[in-house]
Amino acid sequence: METQASPILSDSNDTTIIIGAGISGIMAAKTLSEKGVTDFIILEATNRIGGRMHKESVGGYTIEMGANWVEGVGSSENVNPIWTLANKYKLRTFKSNWDNISNNIYDQEGHILPQRVVAKPYEQAVALSDACEELSSTMKENGEKDISILVSQRICGYIPTTRLEMAIDFFLYDFETGEPPRTTSLMNVEPIATFKDFGIDNYFVADSRGYEHIVHRLAQEFLSSHHGNIIDKRLKLKKVVCKIEYSDSGVKVSTEDGSVYTAKNTIVSVSAGVLQSKLIGFKPDLPMWKLLAIYKWNMVDYCKIFMKFPSKFWPTGPKTEYFLYAHKRRGYYNFWQHLESEHPGGNLLVVTVLDEEARRIEQQPKEETKAEIMEILRKMFGNDIPEMTDILIPKWGQDRFYKGTFSNWPIGVSEQDFDNLQAPVGPVFFTGEHTNHKYNGYVHGAYLAGIDTANMVLHYIKHGDCANIKKTVILANTETRGRPEIKREKMSGCRARRKAPNSLQCSV
């Protein structure tokens, strides 16, 4: 229940408190610094910066727990800003080649499926994906209401049902969005803006410094450092924010260790999953329009399980890196990858599990997961294969500082809901990949969101309001204290005149 905000008298000279030192929070601080606002502090709950860009070691090799690819590369017109940074800092990357994956599909019994079995379903699945993209574009032009990707598949007359079809569908959709087609919004996800704007190529990061090296280098451009270590007192690690009090006069931020910080405003760069949890309390409570937007959003659980073996027993060489396992249960260890190109001689395998399977695996004992994996590998490659010597199972969904890996736009969340998700509440601003309209769920989305939010704060500092922010109040009788009541500006081309229903036809 919302309570009346009390005035907050700041005894600090700080203008902004930034909560979270992932790439969004770091870019927000960097943007403020470049515009002359240097009286900020960054509160980070963990003992490091980088957020969901986090390296670890398996068998002596550096792997990425979270973000792993620079996605969206190859356009001759637009360059993904993360690709620019990866090249600037000379990150070690490898182009992913998915072209031959249809030749690398194993059935549930572990037999490689021949092309005479795979070719037609795979071609149909790719044609279906193209048809669903076209349907999405047509529906946007006609001003139609959103549907799920699964519904679009039904409209286009082809629904994956067999084990093989479901494994291919998993590769085409779940592996990218983190959730199955029944959950994901068609019109807000397809076509994927990242690939449309920046190109269709993906580059796998395999660098001993980690993908997080980009965040460290960005931070060093405006925070004091010594021999690569940040020593700037404005960055405060192991500061777990538990309460944010706010009013028109400023904010007071409390941490679990009893510290209290005050400022004129704050930028909250925690994940959508953390916002949905009760880690951070707000006083007064966030208004209902904001809570509805937060709780409607989906936080994906995307789990890459890394394994090391004493020797390799899987096919290697060109066009063997990725392979699928077609199980009767969708998502049951479907997507596999070996890392022989990235880490020669490392004998590393990766299997990706998502959604319900990821949550199940996060909660079960490690030995049970190892047994499930070894059973599948023995089916595919024989009973004589060696036992793994190391395994790493990330548990992002159970980590209270993240509560998942990235966001996905679900069916039922409108453009208006997204505006509310992005909008500030008085002096409390929100950033992160989930607040970037076009590229939510991606590293470049998080990067750009930090810049955008910092620019909102700069406008707020200068003008005392957020009149330049597009937003919509969708609850006429809802308490809106602290949120500028400005109607959403009409964006040219976002709605076309409605056409006849028969324009929603597609074929596979």
Side-chain angles (χ1 to χ4, degrees), residues 197 213 501:
D197 292 351
H213 181 69

Side-chain angles (χ1 to χ4, degrees), residues 33-47:
S33 183
E34 290 171 347
K35 297 296 177 63
V37 177
T38 58
D39 53 341
F40 56 78
I41 59 171
I42 305 170
L43 303 178
E44 167 56 42
T46 71
N47 62 354

Side-chain angles (χ1 to χ4, degrees), residues 260-280:
V260 177
Y261 305 89
T262 58
K264 296 178 178 62
N265 59 73
T266 184
I267 298 175
V268 181
S269 72
V270 301
S271 73
V274 170
L275 291 175
Q276 292 167 355
S277 74
K278 299 301 181 183
L279 177 63
I280 301 175

Side-chain angles (χ1 to χ4, degrees), residues 15-18 23-38 40 222 265-269 422 424 427-432 435-436 445-463 465-466 468-469:
T15 294
T16 303
I17 298 170
I18 299 167
I23 196 168
S24 288
I26 291 298
M27 283 310 301
K30 185 173 185 291
T31 303
L32 292 178
S33 183
E34 290 171 347
K35 297 296 177 63
V37 177
T38 58
F40 56 78
F222 69 97
N265 59 73
T266 184
I267 298 175
V268 181
S269 72
Q422 186 184 50
V428 182
F429 292 77
F430 298 84
T431 196
T435 69
N436 186 278
Y447 172 92
L448 295 170
I451 297 171
D452 290 343
T453 305
N455 285 326
M456 291 183 194
V457 170
L458 289 165
H459 184 95
Y460 179 81
I461 292 170
K462 183 176 181 179
H463 301 286
D465 60 42
C466 301
N468 65 329
I469 303 172

